[in-house]
Amino acid sequence: MRKSFTVTAQDTSGNARTGRIRTPHGDIETPAFAPVASQGTVKALLHDQVEKLGAQVILVNAYHLFLRPGLETIAACGGIHDFISWTRPILSDSGGFQIYSLTPLVKVTQEGVRFSSHLDGTKIFLRPEDVVDIQRSLGTDIAMVLDYFLPFPSAKARMKEAVKTTTFWARRSKERFLEKPTRQQLWGISQGSVFWDLRRQSIEELLAIGFDGYALGGLGIGEPKGELMETLEKADSLVPRDKPRYLMGMGYIEDILEAIERGIDLFDCVLPTRNARNGTIFSSRGKIVIKNQKYARDERPIDENCSCYTCRHFSRAYLRHLYEREEISSAVLNTIHNLHFYLDNFRKIRQSIALNSYREFKRQLLNQIKEREP
Ligand SMILES: [Zn+2]
C-alpha cells in the first residue's frame, strides 16, 4: 500500500517541512492552503480560476451539504466531485464547528450531538458514525471526525469533558470507517485549547486510535498568541514526523508562517475570500481597505509585486469604484488577488523549505508586511 503522506524536505532552521499527501484525486504538496468552498464553490470564483490560481485542494462542509442540497441529491449526481465538477482533491470538514457556532439549542451527550438546523429549526441528531457515513456518501478525499468544540475561553473542567467526548467519538468514527474498504482518508481532530495537559492527552489518545492525519481544532479563536505557538511547538514533538498536521481555520499569513515553522502542513480559512468580498485586500505591504477615500484616484495596482490578473490590469481607483457600486466584479477581482496572494506565498514557502532557507523567507515576508503602504 502506498503511504498517504511523505515528507519530501526538511528545513534545518526550524521544523518546517515539505511533504506530499496522496489522495484518489491527486497529490497535495504541503505546506498547503485549502480555499474554503463550504457549499461546493469558492465564493465569487469559477473552479477554472481557482485551479489556475494553484489551489490543490478545496474544503467543503459536510454539515452545510447534508442540510442542502442533501446527500441523496449529491449521490444521485455521482458524488461530490461529479456534482460540483471539481477534479482535484476535496477535504470535508465534519461540521462540528458549524454545529456549535451556528445552531441554537445544541445538546451534546456521549451518544452524539442534538441541535436545531440553523435554516428552519428542524431537530437533528448526529452521532459520530453518521458524520463518517455522510462524508463517505459525499466521497471526499479527506474526511474529518466529529469533534466536540468549545469556545475560548472555556473552563478547564468543561474542556476536560470535551476532550473525553472527542476521544470517545474519534474511536467510534474510526471503527465505523473501518467497516468498509475505501481510499478515503480519515483524520482526527484534537481539542484541549491551550491547556497543554489536555491537548497532549487528546493528541495521544488520537495517536493510539490511529488516523491518516492529525488536526488541531479549537485554536486561533482568541487565545494569547504566545500560548498558541507554544501549543503548536509541543504538539509538533508529539505527532510522528511521518504524519501530516492540520491547523484548522487559522488564516492570517503572519500566524501561518509561524505555524509552518512549528511543523504544520495544512491550513484552511475563509479569510482571503471573505475579506475580499468585504473589500479588505492582502498584499506584500500589508492590508488595503479598498473603500478608503485615499484610493479614489490611485492609479497603482493593489500590489506592485503581484502578478495576478487583478494587479496586471486594474488600478486601486477602479477597484474602489467597483466596490462602492457593489458590482459583482468587485468580489471576483478582489478574491482573485487575495487567493493569489495566499497560494503564491505557499508556493514560495515550499520552495524556500526545499532550499533550506525558510527562516530567511519568513523574516523577509514578515518585514515587508509590517512596512505597510501609505
Ligand atoms: Zn494581485
Side-chain angles (χ1 to χ4, degrees):
M1 206 182 86
R2 289 203 309 175
K3 278 180 74 176
S4 58
F5 179 72
T6 321
V7 174
T8 50
Q10 173 73 55
D11 189 279
T12 53
S13 65
N15 286 331
R17 73 262 188 84
T18 58
R20 185 172 299 127
I21 302 170
R22 291 189 187 282
T23 84
H25 290 87
D27 295 348
I28 304 166
E29 303 292 334
T30 62
F33 182 81
V36 173
S38 298
Q39 308 282 1
T41 181
V42 174
K43 286 190 197 306
L45 297 190
L46 303 175
H47 290 340
D48 181 50
Q49 295 169 307
V50 179
E51 281 185 15
K52 284 189 180 130
L53 288 167
Q56 312 176 73
V57 53
I58 54 172
L59 177 147
V60 300
N61 193 285
Y63 166 73
H64 287 302
L65 295 174
F66 164 75
L67 291 182
R68 290 184 305 194
L71 299 178
E72 290 78 16
T73 300
I74 295 173
C77 294
I80 190 71
H81 281 88
D82 281 357
F83 178 58
I84 74 170
S85 195
W86 169 265
T87 56
R88 294 183 183 179
I90 301 179
L91 181 155
S92 45
D93 190 3
S94 58
F97 178 78
Q98 283 67 28
I99 293 171
Y100 306 117
S101 57
L102 286 181
T103 65
L105 312 168
V106 180
K107 180 151 175 48
V108 175
T109 64
Q110 284 293 291
E111 190 49 28
V113 56
R114 187 179 304 281
F115 58 96
S116 301
S117 156
H118 74 287
L119 300 171
D120 58 8
T122 309
K123 289 202 170 28
I124 301 170
F125 182 69
L126 287 178
R127 300 169 309 139
E129 290 87 351
D130 301 326
V131 175
V132 169
D133 292 347
I134 290 170
Q135 295 175 90
R136 177 70 58 93
S137 163
L138 291 173
T140 51
D141 298 276
I142 300 174
M144 306 299 301
V145 298
L146 181 67
D147 57 338
Y148 185 7
F149 169 88
L150 287 178
F152 181 87
S154 289
K156 193 168 180 181
R158 279 196 71 205
M159 190 58 75
K160 197 172 175 173
E161 282 305 303
V163 165
K164 200 172 142 194
T165 305
T166 293
T167 299
F168 182 55
W169 288 358
R171 190 170 298 120
R172 283 167 49 191
S173 303
K174 179 70 187 284
E175 280 164 12
R176 180 60 143 236
F177 185 75
L178 289 176
E179 282 174 15
K180 287 185 213 139
T182 174
R183 290 180 68 201
Q184 190 180 44
Q185 297 186 20
L186 184 66
W187 289 30
I189 307 175
S190 66
Q191 288 295 339
S193 186
V194 289
F195 300 115
W196 176 244
D197 54 337
L198 297 182
R199 178 67 66 173
R200 184 176 64 198
Q201 178 195 338
S202 183
I203 295 173
E204 283 175 343
E205 288 171 351
L206 293 181
L207 286 168
I209 300 166
F211 291 96
D212 296 300
Y214 295 88
L216 295 149
L219 290 174
I221 50 171
E223 58 289 335
K225 205 51 71 62
E227 289 177 40
L228 167 62
M229 290 305 158
E230 209 183 308
T231 303
L232 296 185
E233 256 156 51
K234 290 175 173 168
D236 175 56
S237 57
L238 208 56
V239 180
R241 304 298 295 158
D242 64 350
K243 292 293 176 192
R245 302 88 175 270
Y246 170 20
L247 183 54
M248 303 183 83
M250 274 241 313
Y252 282 103
I253 204 86
E254 294 91 329
D255 298 337
I256 287 174
L257 288 168
E258 297 297 344
I260 287 174
E261 193 166 36
R262 289 160 179 80
I264 300 291
D265 305 295
L266 183 61
F267 299 85
D268 80 273
C269 194
V270 293
L271 204 68
T273 42
R274 179 178 292 164
N275 278 20
R277 298 194 302 282
N278 296 334
T280 301
I281 310 182
F282 297 103
S283 86
S284 62
R285 296 268 190 262
K287 241 175 15 184
I288 286 178
V289 178
I290 199 66
K291 71 174 177 202
N292 283 351
Q293 177 62 33
K294 65 178 175 183
Y295 301 126
R297 289 189 179 174
D298 195 333
E299 290 177 41
R300 293 173 299 170
I302 288 296
D303 187 341
E304 263 143 3
N305 298 320
C306 180
S307 61
C308 85
Y309 172 76
T310 305
C311 290
R312 278 188 287 117
H313 292 89
F314 307 107
S315 64
R316 297 177 185 184
Y318 179 57
L319 295 172
R320 179 177 183 276
H321 162 73
L322 295 179
Y323 181 81
E324 287 292 305
R325 299 283 65 78
E326 298 178 14
E327 286 293 335
I328 292 171
S329 56
S330 167
V332 176
L333 293 173
N334 294 349
T335 305
I336 287 177
H337 169 82
N338 270 2
L339 262 195
H340 176 88
F341 179 70
Y342 271 69
L343 296 169
D344 192 49
N345 272 316
F346 269 80
R347 261 190 298 272
K348 291 174 183 162
I349 286 166
R350 292 193 294 273
Q351 232 167 38
S352 71
I353 296 171
L355 296 170
N356 202 27
S357 57
Y358 178 68
R359 189 161 281 180
E360 181 55 22
F361 171 82
K362 184 189 95 172
R363 194 187 60 77
Q364 279 180 9
L365 184 57
L366 286 178
N367 281 345
Q368 261 181 26
I369 292 172
K370 264 184 231 136
E371 265 177 38
R372 307 267 173 201
E373 195 142 282

